[in-house]
Amino acid sequence: MWLSDTQKIGVGLTGFGVFFMILGILMFFDPGFIAIGNILFLSGLCAIIGVFKTAQFFMRKEKLRGTAAFLGGIALVLVKWPMIGIIVEGFGFMNLFGDFFPVVVGFLRKLPFIGPVLSLPGIAQLVDVVAGKQLPV
């Protein structure tokens, strides 16, 4: 599957957003870095799947609790409560994107260096709990 130029830019924006969020956490919950990361992540998501589909995804009835928590966490970060904001945002992220975890774990298990690490006895059980059970295909 080929990506359009806008989608390629969106992947870059999303990647930089995740990078700045991690950097903000490593810098002892610096609200500036975390806010920049949130803005880049959301703009990258809009560039990848489009503004209308992004709004549809966030406004689905079964995703409203996750959307409220995610946007509430962003608001808490913007009012300089980054530690609580990241926790609330993480809860919203898990509710919004938790359905994709089995797909991501399945992809990571096929990678050359990461796959064998994820198959180690203690780590395999932990990853299965986090990702949820999958049917063998």
Side-chain angles (χ1 to χ4, degrees):
M1 177 175 99
W2 297 101
L3 297 175
S4 69
D5 289 340
T6 306
Q7 289 173 325
K8 290 177 187 175
I9 292 170
V11 169
L13 288 172
T14 304
F16 277 119
V18 170
F19 171 74
F20 274 105
M21 280 192 260
I22 291 171
L23 186 63
I25 292 170
L26 291 176
M27 295 289 201
F28 301 110
F29 294 96
D30 181 24
F33 281 130
I34 296 171
I36 290 171
N38 286 330
I39 291 168
L40 289 174
F41 179 79
L42 288 176
S43 61
L45 191 63
C46 288
I48 291 172
I49 64 174
V51 177
F52 183 71
K53 286 185 180 180
T54 303
Q56 273 186 328
F57 175 77
F58 279 102
M59 294 302 160
R60 285 193 296 183
K61 188 174 182 176
E62 62 270 7
K63 302 282 186 186
L64 284 179
R65 182 176 66 172
T67 300
F70 188 72
L71 295 177
I74 291 173
L76 286 171
V77 167
L78 291 176
V79 297
K80 307 287 184 176
W81 287 12
M83 205 165 199
I84 297 170
I86 286 294
I87 293 169
V88 172
E89 196 175 322
F91 174 76
F93 188 84
M94 293 292 283
N95 278 314
L96 284 171
F97 301 105
D99 299 340
F100 301 117
F101 287 158
V103 175
V104 172
V105 167
F107 173 74
L108 289 175
R109 283 187 171 156
K110 293 178 184 174
L111 292 177
F113 297 109
I114 298 173
V117 172
L118 293 179
S119 298
L120 293 174
I123 298 173
Q125 286 98 7
L126 179 67
V127 170
D128 286 339
V129 168
V130 170
K133 293 292 179 188
Q134 289 180 303
L135 295 174
V137 179

